[in-house]
Amino acid sequence: MVRQAVKLLLLDPDDRLLLIQSRNTDTTYWYPVGGGIEPGESLQQAASREAYEETGLRDLPTGVHVWRRDHTYEYEDQRYDVHEEWLMHRVDHFDPAPAELTPYEARTILAFRWWSAAELEATRDTVYPPTLGRLLTTLLTDSIQP
């Protein structure tokens, strides 16, 4: 069964993207806020819930749909098929303070960081998806064109 998920591009006034740093047994990596869509939730409802749970952000502004992505990943010898809907949200800069992490998230989340597109493109850190820096650069460039 394909897991339905929402991913959030939380962009501050300086076009920096909020990412979460996490770890599994032998790797640390960065990824955007987001998670599974619960039965009966709209994308916006799922986005608001995930933003609050993972960062403490209340009153998430309505997002703009920017991408779709289907992918498969393996974790602890399990294979997962995921369909993601990506929303871009313009937010004020804030210091994340998770409100309702799952036990797994509480064990594995290490940090939060606001990244510029250039920093994401240049980093040697592991970022998911791996092309996020380039995708963000294109998105920001296209969105400022007249």
Side-chain angles (χ1 to χ4, degrees):
M1 184 162 116
V2 176
R3 180 175 187 245
Q4 302 296 312
V6 62
K7 290 300 209 176
L8 287 61
L9 299 173
L10 298 180
L11 292 172
D12 76 2
D14 295 321
D15 287 337
R16 291 178 298 178
L17 174 64
L18 182 63
L19 295 182
I20 300 169
Q21 185 183 43
S22 189
R23 71 166 178 264
N24 60 25
T25 53
D26 59 352
T27 306
T28 60
Y29 50 93
W30 295 93
Y31 62 92
V33 172
I37 300 171
E38 294 180 1
E41 276 187 322
S42 70
L43 283 178
Q44 297 294 335
Q45 289 167 331
S48 291
R49 178 183 49 75
E50 288 291 339
Y52 174 70
E53 290 174 358
E54 294 182 355
T55 73
L57 180 64
R58 294 183 183 271
D59 303 319
L60 180 71
T62 300
V64 175
H65 188 270
V66 293
W67 304 317
R68 284 185 176 87
R69 181 172 89 127
D70 293 309
H71 70 105
T72 300
Y73 68 93
E74 291 187 23
Y75 179 73
E76 294 184 348
D77 298 325
Q78 295 275 348
R79 181 184 166 110
Y80 299 92
D81 294 317
V82 181
H83 173 78
E84 297 171 344
E85 298 288 342
W86 288 69
L87 301 176
M88 181 178 69
H89 301 266
R90 293 288 183 170
V91 299
D92 291 333
H93 187 87
F94 67 97
D95 293 325
E100 294 182 27
L101 297 178
T102 66
Y104 173 78
E105 290 168 330
R107 281 192 323 273
T108 60
I109 289 178
L110 303 173
F112 294 86
R113 179 177 166 189
W114 293 91
W115 294 75
S116 71
E119 289 170 331
L120 278 173
E121 287 195 78
T123 189
R124 292 180 184 217
D125 289 0
T126 301
V127 175
Y128 291 116
T131 59
L132 186 56
R134 182 172 40 84
L135 290 168
L136 182 59
T137 296
T138 300
L139 179 67
L140 293 172
T141 301
D142 289 349
S143 69
I144 61 173
Q145 296 300 320

